[in-house]
């Protein structure tokens, strides 16, 4: 009975995933593609939950299903309207038939490669090796959630570089954009939502940050939730989306990578090696790094949403802009 | 008891797939967005059921985050359509 139910559930989820992916690719306008993509993100989160991977499900729910939709819709809004018909029935206009073939072949090859890697990893007799190593060293990491232990301690270097990638992307956006952030209309729905949604989002962000030490959660999820609070603020007519202006904003932008590098250099100069935390303080240091990483990620995502830095002068009352 | 939950899970997944039909076939963005929201609610319920069945309390957090962030997309969407009328 139970195995049968699980197979039914799996088949239904796979059908939903494939249907949505196909529809998103074949939609007549980019706007409809985005809506289908939001639904696709949601079903992906469901699939990760079913596969007993709450960490991935959480990241997908926070970033894939939630914030990316708002980011994409706003990006589309700032494009010339005729461009939203880029996707026609014949596929991408720029690539033509051969372009489509090339894309299909390369994507299929990548998919096959990933499939082979998964199959190889599952059949490999030593596949439990890394998970076992993390498990046996977990007590040394200062946290009890193995994912956080890997991301912020054992492989902290990777997370540092991820923050650097985010910062590089933000610098690219800021150097291209400009003047859009002040364009801000007051949405009555968003204004009434702001009163209760923003505090809830900030509270949940804090909870995610704290819970990351011993359960799924962490800086990226918390940052995405904080960024969502900023997006709501902006939709409700706050042109600066709750962000500070000027130097404070710049400091926040680099704070994640800044605190990471400071820690790294401190442990390095202390003779322990780059980012090798002293074991006694590891938990506190990880929380400190995650706190600033959360702020930096939130600021980065909000600025991605705005497309440029908010204006230096203070906006007086909410929604006074045309 | 777990069997009942599992059955509820399968039924919800089935309604999710049925809900996809208007999502895929509709030509109206508004209809699609509303269906996406319906799927969101359905998904939150499904994840809460899975949290019970798999005995993974962390999945409740996933449902919480999904429920909070589903609102953002719909607000961004309504603002976008309002903006295009004004522009």
């Amino acid at each position: 009975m139970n195995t049968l139910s699980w197979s039914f559930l799996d088949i239904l989820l796979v059908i939903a995933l494939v249907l949505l992916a196909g529809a998103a690719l074949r939609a007549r306008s980019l706007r409809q593609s985005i809506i289908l993509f939001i639904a696709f993100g949601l079903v992906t989160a469901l699939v990760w939950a079913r596969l007993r991977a709450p960490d991935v499900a959480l990241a997908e729910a926070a970033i894939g299903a939630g914030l990316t939709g708002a980011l994409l819709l706003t990006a589309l809004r700032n494009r010339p309207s005729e461009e939203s018909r880029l996707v026609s029935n014949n596929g991408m206009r720029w690539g033509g038939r051969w372009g489509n073939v090339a894309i299909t072949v390369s994507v299929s090859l990548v998919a096959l490669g990933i499939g082979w890697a998964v199959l190889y990893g599952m059949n490999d007799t030593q596949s439990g090796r890394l998970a076992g190593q993390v498990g046996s060293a977990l007590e040394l990491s200062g946290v009890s959630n193995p994912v956080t232990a890997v991301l912020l301690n054992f492989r902290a270097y990777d997370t540092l570089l991820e923050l650097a990638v985010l910062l590089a992307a933000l610098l690219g956006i800021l150097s291209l954009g400009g003047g859009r952030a002040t364009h801000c209309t007051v949405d009555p729905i968003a204004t009434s939502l702001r009163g209760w949604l923003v505090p809830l989002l900030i509270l949940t962000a804090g909870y995610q940050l704290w819970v990351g030490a011993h359960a799924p959660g962490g800086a990226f999820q918390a940052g995405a939730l904080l960024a969502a609070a900023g997006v709501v603020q902006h939709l409700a007519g706050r042109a600066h989306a709750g962000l500070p202006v000027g130097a404070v904003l710049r400091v926040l932008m680099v704070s994640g990578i800044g605190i990471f590098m400071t820690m790294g250099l401190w442990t390095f100069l202390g003779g322990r090696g780059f980012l090798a935390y002293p074991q006694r303080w590891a938990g506190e240091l990880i929380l400190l790094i995650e706190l600033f990483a959360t702020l930096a990620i939130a600021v980065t995502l909000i600025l991605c949403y705005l497309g440029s830095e908010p204006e230096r002068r203070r906006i007086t009352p909410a929604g006074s802009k045309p | 008891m777990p069997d009942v939950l599992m059955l509820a899970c399968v039924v919800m997944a089935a309604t999710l797939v049925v809900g996809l039909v208007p999502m895929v076939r509709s030509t109206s963005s508004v209809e699609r967005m509303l269906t996406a929201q319906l799927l969101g609610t359905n998904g939150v319920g499904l994840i809460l059921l899975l949290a019970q069945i798999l005995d993974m309390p962390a999945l409740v957090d996933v449902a919480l985050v999904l429920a909070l962030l589903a609102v953002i997309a719909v607000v961004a969407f309504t603002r976008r359509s309002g903006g295009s009328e004004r522009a």
Side-chain angles (χ1 to χ4, degrees):
Chain A
M1 164 66 194
N2 236 346
T3 355
L4 192 69
S5 318
W6 279 118
S7 339
F8 263 124
L9 187 64
D10 290 346
I11 291 169
L12 288 169
L13 286 176
V14 167
I15 290 174
L17 211 53
V18 173
L19 264 182
L20 280 172
L25 288 175
R26 293 183 56 222
R28 285 184 307 138
S29 70
L30 285 181
R31 194 168 165 220
Q32 305 214 342
S33 284
I34 293 171
I35 298 168
L36 288 160
F37 180 75
I38 294 171
F40 180 78
L42 178 97
V43 179
T44 314
L46 271 177
V47 169
W48 285 121
R50 184 263 169 269
L51 291 172
R52 300 166 191 245
D55 290 274
V56 196
L58 202 57
E60 182 64 38
I63 297 164
L67 208 58
T68 316
L71 274 178
L72 288 174
L73 282 170
T74 314
L76 186 65
R77 187 175 190 261
N78 291 316
R79 285 163 63 104
S81 59
E82 66 267 32
E83 296 248 11
S84 63
R85 300 231 167 244
L86 182 74
V87 182
S88 68
N89 285 337
N90 300 327
M92 305 265 178
R93 196 179 291 163
W94 47 269
R97 184 175 299 243
W98 291 109
N100 275 350
V101 172
I103 290 171
T104 312
V105 168
S106 49
V107 169
S108 308
L109 282 177
V110 170
L112 278 177
I114 294 172
W116 177 81
V118 170
L119 208 62
Y120 181 81
M122 288 204 313
N123 290 330
D124 186 13
T125 45
Q126 292 185 312
S127 65
R129 210 159 41 100
L130 274 180
Q133 274 185 20
V134 170
S136 59
L138 197 57
E139 283 184 12
L140 308 174
S141 71
V143 289
S144 60
N145 176 15
V147 176
T148 305
V150 171
L151 289 182
L152 268 302
N153 195 336
F154 304 144
R155 302 286 299 174
Y157 199 72
D158 291 351
T159 310
L160 172 69
L161 291 180
E162 269 176 36
L163 288 174
V165 168
L166 270 185
L167 186 62
L170 179 61
L171 291 178
I173 289 170
L174 290 185
S175 59
L176 285 174
R180 280 200 268 114
T182 51
H183 179 76
C184 183
T185 49
V186 188
D187 186 326
I189 305 174
T191 314
S192 56
L193 268 178
R194 193 189 62 196
W196 61 271
L197 194 55
V198 169
L200 268 183
L201 283 167
I202 294 174
L203 189 68
T204 318
Y207 164 69
Q208 283 292 318
L209 176 66
W210 179 255
V211 86
H214 55 84
F220 274 86
Q221 288 85 342
L225 285 163
L226 262 191
V231 170
V232 175
Q233 290 271 32
H234 186 257
L235 289 169
R238 301 283 164 110
H240 54 97
L243 290 177
V245 287
V248 183
L249 182 65
R250 304 271 169 97
V251 169
L252 277 180
M253 272 157 62
V254 296
S255 63
I257 199 162
I259 194 90
F260 233 133
M261 291 299 286
T262 315
M263 287 297 169
L265 286 176
W266 177 58
T267 53
F268 183 67
L269 293 176
R272 309 184 58 94
F274 192 68
L275 283 175
Y277 318 125
Q279 197 188 322
R280 198 148 57 101
W281 299 105
E284 285 81 357
L285 291 180
I286 287 175
L287 189 64
L288 187 68
I289 291 175
E290 283 213 287
L291 174 66
F292 282 99
T294 302
L295 291 176
I297 290 164
V299 167
T300 303
L301 289 173
I302 294 174
L303 285 172
C304 288
Y305 174 80
L306 295 178
S308 66
E309 264 186 74
E311 273 191 359
R312 229 159 244 275
R313 65 191 170 82
R314 290 277 174 189
I315 315 294
T316 30
S320 65
K321 293 256 142 194
Chain B
M1 189 61 187
D3 279 354
V4 178
L5 291 179
M6 195 65 223
L7 196 68
C9 225
V10 174
V11 171
M12 282 191 83
T15 53
L16 188 137
V17 172
V18 174
L20 284 181
V21 176
M23 181 96 190
V24 173
R25 296 187 58 179
S26 164
T27 49
S28 138
S29 289
V30 177
E31 226 169 89
R32 280 196 163 153
M33 196 66 207
L34 285 174
T35 321
Q37 291 301 305
L38 180 68
L39 293 187
T41 314
N42 196 326
V44 168
L46 202 48
I47 289 185
L48 286 174
L49 279 176
L50 282 174
Q52 285 294 318
I53 296 170
L54 299 172
D55 196 22
M56 296 184 96
L59 289 180
V60 179
D61 290 355
V62 180
L64 173 72
V65 169
L66 261 185
L68 275 176
L69 289 181
V71 190
I72 313 292
V74 82
V75 177
F77 175 80
T78 51
R79 171 167 182 259
R80 193 241 167 254
S81 48
S84 75
E85 274 160 31
R86 255 169 272 159

